[in-house]
Amino acid sequence: MFANALKTFAASNISANYSISSNLTAVAGPWKIYPAKNKKTGKECSVFVFDKKGLLDAHRAGLRGAEAAEAKRAAEVVVERLKKEALALARLRHPGILEVVEPVEETRGGGLQFVAEAVTASLSGLLQEKDDQERGGTTGRASRYVTEEPDGTRRRREIEIDELEIQKGLLQISKALEFLHENAGLVHGNLTPDAILVNAKVRFNFR
């Protein structure tokens, strides 16, 4: 997995100025997040990587002619949209919104990457970890977080967390949304567990 990421990092301003770990921190939608450090200051941060070749080209495998051309155009639209979103994110300054440290740049493979404040996980990743821990435990009991219906469909149960944590998280997200709507004139439109990131201060940030 990291072999592709190394190719992505190669010959870029980010790779020149940051030491990037091979250990994947989290996945947030189309972005893979790696821990990194500024080579000059030693400050910890996170590098967000979108691997166009790995994530989009796989969908074009086996396509020929017009279908392949259409898939290529669709891939370019996705890349351009992600680039615009990353550029817009870099202009926003709020405690509840992910802080971009280095602006988005295109990679040699046609993907994208940017540097942000250090994050430790995505909310979706934390929920998945809890599911995996409980399903892999010795008790054999079902997960408290996901329940399976008789027809095989799965749905998420309400999560048992401290009421103060719930209030704090909702307040932070609400303030960030208020800033986006009232000050920046933007609508998020994708508020999912994938879009909610947790940093070292256990503060929710979302992209």
Side-chain angles (χ1 to χ4, degrees):
M1 178 188 293
F2 192 63
N4 290 334
L6 280 176
K7 294 177 183 178
T8 299
F9 296 144
S12 72
N13 291 328
I14 290 176
S15 64
N17 296 318
Y18 294 85
S19 298
I20 305 168
S21 171
S22 61
N23 299 317
L24 187 67
T25 298
V27 176
W31 299 97
K32 292 181 179 178
I33 307 172
Y34 295 89
K37 282 186 179 181
N38 186 297
K39 291 180 179 180
K40 291 184 179 179
T41 66
K43 184 176 181 179
E44 295 184 351
C45 54
S46 291
V47 176
F48 284 62
V49 178
F50 171 71
D51 181 9
K52 173 189 172 185
K53 188 172 182 61
L55 294 180
L56 294 179
D57 288 0
H59 297 292
R60 303 208 307 256
L63 298 180
R64 296 290 184 273
E67 289 183 339
E70 181 62 28
K72 183 177 181 180
R73 285 193 293 270
E76 295 302 329
V77 170
V78 170
V79 172
E80 189 60 29
R81 179 171 180 176
L82 289 174
K83 185 177 180 180
K84 288 181 179 179
E85 289 177 353
L87 288 170
L89 180 63
R91 294 193 291 266
L92 300 174
R93 289 290 181 269
H94 187 274
I97 296 176
L98 184 72
E99 180 185 353
V100 175
V101 178
E102 297 283 351
V104 65
E105 64 181 32
E106 296 184 17
T107 65
R108 187 171 59 183
L112 302 169
Q113 61 185 3
F114 66 91
V115 182
E117 63 175 297
V119 298
T120 58
S122 67
L123 180 57
S124 61
L126 293 176
L127 295 175
Q128 185 62 54
E129 282 181 16
K130 287 188 176 295
D131 289 342
D132 293 342
Q133 288 170 2
E134 296 214 349
R135 288 186 184 280
T138 58
T139 60
R141 65 186 176 85
S143 170
R144 290 178 298 174
Y145 305 98
V146 172
T147 183
E148 190 166 313
E149 303 293 345
D151 62 0
T153 59
R154 301 174 71 208
R155 64 180 177 82
R156 185 168 298 282
R157 289 176 175 164
E158 291 187 8
I159 302 169
E160 300 173 25
I161 59 176
D162 183 81
E163 183 178 348
L164 184 60
E165 291 177 320
I166 296 173
Q167 293 175 349
K168 183 178 179 182
L170 289 174
L171 179 61
Q172 291 168 340
I173 294 170
S174 297
K175 285 184 174 180
L177 287 172
E178 181 182 28
F179 169 79
L180 283 178
H181 295 170
E182 301 296 331
N183 297 86
L186 298 173
V187 176
H188 192 281
N190 187 38
L191 191 56
T192 67
D194 258 346
I196 298 174
L197 304 172
V198 181
N199 64 15
K201 297 179 181 178
V202 197
R203 183 181 74 218
F204 287 94
N205 290 269
F206 71 96
R207 53 175 182 81

